[in-house]
Amino acid sequence: MHLLFLVLLYIFPCIIAQNSTVLYSIYPWLRLPPTPQLPTPVTGSSVQINNVSIWYTTYGPVGAPPLLFVHGGFGQSAYWGLQVAQLKSSYRCILMDSRGQGRSTVTSAGITYDLMASDVIGLLNYLGIQQTHLVGWSDGAIIGLNVAINYPNRLLSLFAFAANYIPAGVKDISNSIVFTTFLNRSQIEYQAINPSPNYTNLYNYLTTMWATLPNWTQQDFAKINPNLPVWIVDADHEEAIFREQPDTMSSWIPQSGELILPRTSHFAFLQDSDWFTASIARFLVEVNCSQCNSTPTSYSSATTSSFHFSLYACMYISFLLFFRLI
């Protein structure tokens, strides 16, 4: 009995230390909260686009402004559950699993950003949506930028979180326990929900793409519609993307604003979902504001865009922060 106690006394702090890094750390950027659940009921469907089966679901009033959420690599639509729960009363929220991920399938054509952007356009066409707001995380943000570059008339706005524009902009994530935990978790989720799971193929497709793509220059970003509202967003403790990436992209998109979310990482939408969702809401308020739409706005710096809050957005964020603190 005493021996068992000593063994437990030795290993228990190790278990707690590891868990604290991903669940209970005092630092939010070192946490990986549980994968959210999509609001119920989940009425997803699959549609054939570009010879693959793309899973999607929608929430909110059909006549409301469309808001498309695109997840990051190895992820799936449920990662947007906290944001959709808050925004579905005002927007027609559309979620899709990117090709080969979540509940969607892949062919020998593989996975590239061009193909995934084409899948987005195919889904919009299928749903009869000419233009949409788009919120993207990581690969989803790169897909959003790809759509903005190659399909300049299909977006109403773009909120791009944690994107890179060249492969060299990605850090070595192998030493990040938060990212490693996400990869392990997402593999289990993939095996559980994908109709024809082959994780080895998925891993090879994504890592091959990340080694070579995207590979954009300032000339590519010049193709983005100068009237498209864009926020380039990242986190101050980002473990996957070098800070130079959002800084440069925001400088290459003259009308864009740059927002760096405090005390969060590549998973800010989980680590501080209230702030992340409030940032989306504040961005969309600006986009939809008739005064902002009718009056040209000059973004002389990221600070000007990030802190020029409308009264409505300030009240909304203050409300969320207040109820988090009590």
Side-chain angles (χ1 to χ4, degrees):
M1 175 64 80
H2 292 293
L3 179 60
L4 177 60
F5 175 79
L6 290 174
V7 170
L8 290 174
L9 190 64
Y10 176 79
I11 67 172
F12 187 73
C14 299
I15 296 172
I16 294 298
Q18 182 176 7
N19 285 343
S20 69
T21 306
V22 295
L23 287 177
Y24 307 117
S25 173
I26 62 172
Y27 304 115
W29 59 90
L30 293 180
R31 303 174 196 154
L32 186 67
T35 305
Q37 298 293 316
L38 288 174
T40 56
V42 180
T43 56
S45 303
S46 294
V47 58
Q48 289 293 315
I49 298 173
N50 297 328
N51 298 317
V52 299
S53 177
I54 297 294
W55 185 91
Y56 75 96
T57 189
T58 63
Y59 295 91
V62 174
L67 175 57
L68 175 64
F69 290 87
V70 188
H71 63 76
F74 290 109
Q76 39 112 352
S77 294
Y79 280 88
W80 293 119
L82 299 174
Q83 285 68 49
V84 171
Q86 294 297 319
L87 297 171
K88 64 184 177 68
S89 62
S90 300
Y91 296 91
R92 183 187 182 191
C93 295
I94 306 157
L95 301 100
M96 64 181 292
D97 289 347
S98 296
R99 61 167 50 214
Q101 300 159 79
R103 303 162 188 82
S104 296
T105 63
V106 69
T107 66
S108 59
I111 301 176
T112 67
Y113 293 116
D114 284 347
L115 283 172
M116 290 190 286
S118 179
D119 295 340
V120 165
I121 299 303
L123 179 61
L124 294 179
N125 291 342
Y126 174 79
L127 296 174
I129 297 173
Q130 180 59 35
Q131 290 184 307
T132 184
H133 302 286
L134 192 152
V135 174
W137 152 49
S138 195
D139 273 2
I142 298 171
I143 294 167
L145 288 165
N146 191 301
V147 172
I149 291 169
N150 294 307
Y151 306 89
N153 297 318
R154 300 307 298 266
L155 295 183
L156 293 168
S157 70
L158 174 60
F159 185 99
F161 171 69
N164 58 289
Y165 67 91
I166 52 174
V170 179
K171 299 178 182 179
D172 180 4
I173 59 173
S174 62
N175 293 323
S176 168
I177 190 170
V178 175
F179 214 104
T180 300
T181 302
F182 163 72
L183 292 176
N184 292 335
R185 176 196 296 182
S186 63
Q187 180 177 359
I188 295 171
E189 293 168 344
Y190 166 81
Q191 297 285 2
I193 66 176
N194 193 271
S196 53
N198 188 326
Y199 189 78
T200 299
N201 278 353
L202 175 61
Y203 181 87
N204 290 336
Y205 283 143
L206 288 179
T207 55
T208 298
M209 177 179 70
W210 293 342
T212 57
L213 298 170
N215 199 11
W216 288 322
T217 66
Q218 186 172 3
Q219 287 67 41
D220 294 302
F221 283 87
K223 300 174 185 177
I224 295 175
N225 186 335
N227 296 316
L228 178 70
V230 178
W231 270 14
I232 302 297
V233 186
D234 216 308
D236 62 350
H237 287 80
E238 170 68 76
E239 66 269 71
I241 305 297
F242 286 109
R243 177 64 177 272
E244 175 273 334
Q245 296 289 291
D247 290 350
T248 298
M249 286 187 288
S250 62
S251 72
W252 285 351
I253 307 173
Q255 78 276 20
S256 71
E258 181 178 9
L259 175 65
I260 303 300
L261 298 169
R263 293 172 55 80
T264 56
S265 78
H266 200 72
F267 305 95
F269 52 92
L270 300 178
Q271 295 160 338
D272 195 341
S273 62
D274 287 347
W275 184 262
F276 194 95
T277 307
S279 298
I280 296 173
R282 178 263 180 275
F283 172 63
L284 293 173
V285 164
E286 179 181 282
V287 171
N288 294 321
C289 172
S290 59
Q291 180 179 3
C292 295
N293 288 338
S294 61
T295 304
T297 304
S298 175
Y299 295 101
S300 59
S301 68
T303 302
T304 302
S305 176
S306 297
F307 294 98
H308 179 213
F309 282 93
S310 69
L311 176 62
Y312 176 87
C314 285
M315 292 174 63
Y316 183 71
I317 293 174
S318 298
F319 174 86
L320 290 174
L321 291 175
F322 174 78
F323 280 98
R324 282 177 55 208
L325 293 173
I326 63 172

